[in-house]
Amino acid sequence: EEPEGIVYRTRAFFGFHEKSPWSSDGRWLLGHVHGGVGIEQPSARELDIVIYGGRAWTEPFTLTQTQAWNWQMGSQLQWADKSSSQVVFNDFRDGMNLAVIHNIESGREHTLPYPIGAVSPTQDRYAGFCYQTLGRCMPGYGYDFAGAKAESPLTSEQLVVFDSDGTIVSEVPAGSLPPVSEDGEAAGEQFVTHTQFSPDGERLAFLHRQHVAGRRLRSRLYCVDPTDPLGTLHAAPFHDMVSHFTWIDGNRILAFANTESSDGFFLWAVGVGTPSALRPLHLGDRDGHPHGVGDGRHVVLDRYPDRRRIMPLNWLDCETGEETQLGRFFLPMRFWEEKRVDLHPRVRADGAYVCVDVVHAGVRSLATIPLEH
């Protein structure tokens, strides 16, 4: 059931659902281009960083390459400034995992001393964590450090916020946070991941996770002031699981999480009430990837495949919980586990288009869809 107006770019993908690939003026679309089907094992081989322009973003232009990437998050490619003249992504340089800022007009580059997970909407701060730990605790989300013969500048207990000069503005050591598990289970390895700045850049949300071999990954969602994290630490009132989340506005987060009684999507108003405001959305207990539209009310989200390997793409009203289906996509079985192709919807700032990763003609591809709602 192919949505009307969909445009495919074969052998391309973007990555995660928490950021938009579009430039601020909507002229350019970011993507990664791979040389295979899209199920090959990611390695330290180079992956193209591309921008698409022209009608319906069908004219590709290769900017540069990166060796630090995976099928789920790509290289954390995103726009580095409001003028849309620079992009930032992770790479391996001189034996270290770090971020690179690339000027799309001049081709000039400069490096930051740490890898990035998120860029503040004010474009003056970056959040970074350890991808070596992430790959060890969550296979498919790290980089090929061994193949690149590289090291991480950060440890598993570090979440750093730094400026464009590479100076650390603040740090949230995971070791200072309470253990994720409260049932006496072995501490395992604690780490941080999935960083997201609020739309106004005044807050930073992240997941604090616990990895114990052979056990289910456990998670807690936190929010801090990027300049004063320990003085403004807010913990979401969930139990021990948070998978995916998005900012609805500067104060509210939609997350798939659990309470003592159920799993599902919940709205969390950061720092409001004791505990913080919590309201379930009646969307069933099937997980997915949400992306806030930016109007303080609506979200586009996917769901994991059903038994027929069908993934829906839906438009969600967070005030009413009403969902409208935008499309349905088949995911072939060979795109499985670490090589799966989640839709990971990303909405353009004006809400007129959504970008998704799909399998088209048997190949991992990048698609754009006009939205009518």
Side-chain angles (χ1 to χ4, degrees):
E1 298 182 20
E2 188 174 283
E4 292 185 9
I6 189 169
V7 175
Y8 296 102
R9 298 153 197 85
T10 56
R11 305 192 188 283
F13 73 106
F14 179 69
F16 225 40
H17 64 98
E18 84 281 21
K19 59 183 69 70
S20 174
W22 274 284
S23 58
S24 58
D25 60 6
R27 179 185 178 189
W28 302 106
L29 181 76
L30 291 174
H32 304 87
V33 170
H34 57 91
V37 172
I39 57 174
E40 299 77 14
Q41 183 66 31
S43 64
R45 66 184 178 87
E46 293 184 336
L47 183 75
D48 287 345
I49 302 291
V50 172
I51 59 171
Y52 293 89
R55 185 175 180 274
W57 309 284
T58 53
E59 299 175 12
F61 178 76
T62 301
L63 297 176
T64 184
Q65 291 80 34
T66 180
Q67 298 180 74
W69 61 281
N70 56 63
W71 290 123
Q72 299 306 309
M73 293 180 166
S75 64
Q76 292 286 28
L77 175 64
Q78 52 204 292
W79 294 97
D81 58 23
K82 292 182 178 179
S83 66
S84 303
S85 63
Q86 299 184 114
V87 300
V88 60
F89 57 92
N90 291 329
D91 199 1
F92 292 119
R93 301 281 175 97
D94 299 322
M96 197 64 66
N97 182 212
L98 42 70
V100 178
I101 295 180
H102 180 99
N103 189 295
I104 67 173
E105 298 172 353
S106 67
R108 294 177 181 173
E109 295 182 340
H110 72 273
T111 60
L112 299 170
Y114 312 103
I116 62 161
V119 178
S120 169
T122 57
Q123 270 82 31
D124 59 350
R125 294 192 185 98
Y126 306 85
F129 50 84
C130 179
Y131 286 87
Q132 197 165 24
T133 303
L134 185 61
R136 185 168 59 248
C137 297
M138 295 180 62
Y141 288 82
Y143 304 141
D144 183 13
F145 283 81
K149 299 179 180 179
E151 299 178 0
S152 171
L154 300 172
T155 69
S156 60
E157 296 186 348
Q158 285 184 288
L159 166 58
V160 295
V161 178
F162 53 100
D163 61 23
S164 56
D165 294 324
T167 302
I168 293 180
V169 175
S170 62
E171 183 173 350
V172 185
S176 70
L177 299 174
V180 176
S181 174
E182 296 178 349
D183 60 4
E185 184 181 272
E189 187 165 13
Q190 311 281 327
F191 64 103
V192 291
T193 181
H194 288 44
T195 48
Q196 287 189 43
F197 285 97
S198 60
D200 55 14
E202 294 184 4
R203 287 171 166 160
L204 174 66
F206 64 93
L207 295 183
H208 178 218
R209 288 187 152 166
Q210 175 192 36
H211 172 259
V212 177
R215 298 294 297 271
R216 176 176 62 88
L217 194 68
R218 299 192 174 191
S219 308
R220 282 214 178 100
L221 172 63
Y222 287 93
C223 184
V224 297
D225 178 335
T227 62
D228 184 24
L230 296 183
T232 59
L233 190 67
H234 297 284
F238 302 124
H239 182 45
D240 63 359
M241 184 277 288
V242 183
S243 58
H244 306 105
F245 65 93
T246 187
W247 286 95
I248 303 299
D249 52 35
N251 298 305
R252 295 182 300 157
I253 290 175
L254 175 71
F256 189 87
N258 70 351
T259 62
E260 294 286 354
S261 59
S262 65
D263 296 358
F265 279 98
F266 294 87
L267 277 175
W268 175 41
V270 179
V272 176
T274 308
S276 299
L278 193 66
R279 183 170 73 85
L281 294 177
H282 303 291
L283 307 178
D285 59 0
R286 194 159 142 217
D287 198 358
H289 305 90
H291 185 105
V293 173
D295 60 0
R297 178 167 178 168
H298 296 98
V299 163
V300 173
L301 78 160
D302 67 5
R303 297 300 182 87
Y304 281 129
D306 61 18
R307 293 180 180 179
R308 297 175 297 164
R309 305 290 292 166
I310 299 297
M311 299 183 295
L313 178 67
N314 295 344
W315 176 269
L316 168 67
D317 186 327
C318 290
E319 297 299 322
T320 66
E322 180 181 356
E323 281 189 281
T324 303
Q325 191 167 102
L326 302 174
R328 289 154 50 89
F329 298 86
F330 176 67
L331 181 62
M333 183 60 77
R334 64 175 175 164
F335 292 88
W336 181 252
E337 294 184 341
E338 298 172 20
K339 301 169 185 177
R340 68 186 182 276
V341 184
D342 298 326
L343 296 180
H344 286 157
R346 289 88 41 169
V347 184
R348 201 171 76 168
D350 60 2
Y353 288 87
V354 62
C355 175
V356 292
D357 295 328
V358 297
V359 175
H360 175 62
V363 178
R364 185 183 302 258
S365 302
L366 182 66
T368 50
I369 308 167
L371 292 177
E372 295 183 5
H373 44 77

